[in-house]
Amino acid sequence: MSRLRVGVLVSGRGSNLQALIEAAKDPLYPARVVIVCANRDCAALELAKKAGVSRQLFRLAAFPDRLARDQAMVKTMRLHGVELVVCAGYDAILERTFTREFAGRIINIHPSLLPEFAGTMDAVTMALEAGVAETGCTVHVVTKDVDQGPILAQRRVEVRPDDTVESLRERIQAEEHALLPVVVKRLAGQPLPISL
Ligand code: GRF
């Protein structure tokens, strides 16, 4: 079985990366993480190292500008034969050069029921402050417009009266960890790129 080659972009804790790595431990899982790219030193890079996955740091300061940084990431993804890019807690906006190169092959996981609370790094706090009865998480296709690409899947999470940002985030993330591997599996079984 040839498995879909996945490149993961990270900036933080890496729990979604971990969920993908765990799923791919099953030899029948149709995808595997071949490269992890980070824009800062983060726990996710450490996770990749422990799992024996290739990883590379693309600190902005090491490049003349964002364009050069993203061009270098494209090159690395290409070198690793990446067929699908997963943004798993990646906190920078991808340059057009990247979204064009991998059009229909980039997905992101966002901690809200898009289109609600789009375009923010703090969707969980915003949901809590807005007093909504439910929120959740969304996996969507990444296009040049932040958090606007076609929605692939969502999971709902009830907001409880005693929720704090932490407790709500924890329940949303539990759903993310279940959802992301399911979506990647689905994409591995269909032709890529996803038509936009
Ligand atoms: C996730 O909640 C995801 O929705 C958001 O960033 C967070 C990343 O968490 N885009 P982790 O690094 O995967 O633990």
Side-chain angles (χ1 to χ4, degrees):
M1 176 182 75
S2 101
R3 305 169 87 191
L4 185 74
R5 300 177 68 83
V6 177
V8 183
L9 299 182
V10 293
S11 306
R13 203 160 66 98
S15 63
N16 282 285
L17 167 67
Q18 185 67 35
L20 276 181
I21 289 173
E22 287 301 323
K25 283 185 181 164
D26 177 352
L28 293 179
Y29 188 75
R32 69 191 179 97
V33 179
V34 294
I35 177 78
V36 173
C37 298
N39 59 341
R40 66 184 80 254
D41 240 328
C42 57
L45 273 183
E46 219 22 63
L47 276 177
K49 185 177 176 187
K50 280 207 186 97
V53 176
S54 300
R55 66 220 166 265
Q56 207 165 314
L57 178 58
F58 292 86
R59 238 191 232 110
L60 187 55
F63 297 90
D65 53 24
R66 286 173 189 275
L67 178 64
R69 193 262 307 275
D70 283 16
Q71 277 168 342
M73 286 204 306
V74 164
K75 205 167 159 194
T76 296
M77 293 279 167
R78 287 277 173 232
L79 276 173
H80 285 83
V82 167
E83 299 163 288
L84 177 72
V85 177
V86 176
C87 299
Y90 185 63
D91 66 6
I93 294 170
L94 290 168
E95 290 287 316
R96 287 290 290 277
T97 187
F98 197 109
T99 53
R100 238 192 329 255
E101 184 77 18
F102 287 99
R105 292 178 180 272
I106 315 170
I107 62 171
N108 178 47
I109 185 144
H110 184 81
S112 77
L113 294 173
L114 288 174
E116 279 172 33
F117 312 116
T120 169
M121 289 307 295
D122 215 353
V124 180
T125 307
M126 284 181 71
L128 204 58
E129 282 173 359
V132 292
E134 63 170 14
T135 180
C137 55
T138 302
V139 178
H140 65 96
V141 183
V142 173
T143 60
K144 65 177 175 42
D145 306 308
V146 176
D147 294 340
Q148 307 285 315
I151 291 172
L152 297 173
Q154 292 185 311
R155 283 205 179 196
R156 298 180 175 279
V157 173
E158 174 205 351
V159 180
R160 297 176 185 157
D162 59 346
D163 259 331
T164 60
V165 173
E166 290 69 34
S167 66
L168 183 56
R169 179 175 289 124
E170 198 176 310
R171 292 204 311 289
I172 292 172
Q173 286 215 326
E175 295 301 325
E176 291 182 349
H177 302 157
L179 184 62
L180 188 58
V182 168
V183 175
V184 169
K185 182 178 178 178
R186 192 172 94 204
L187 294 177
Q190 73 177 60
L192 290 177
I194 300 159
S195 47
L196 293 169

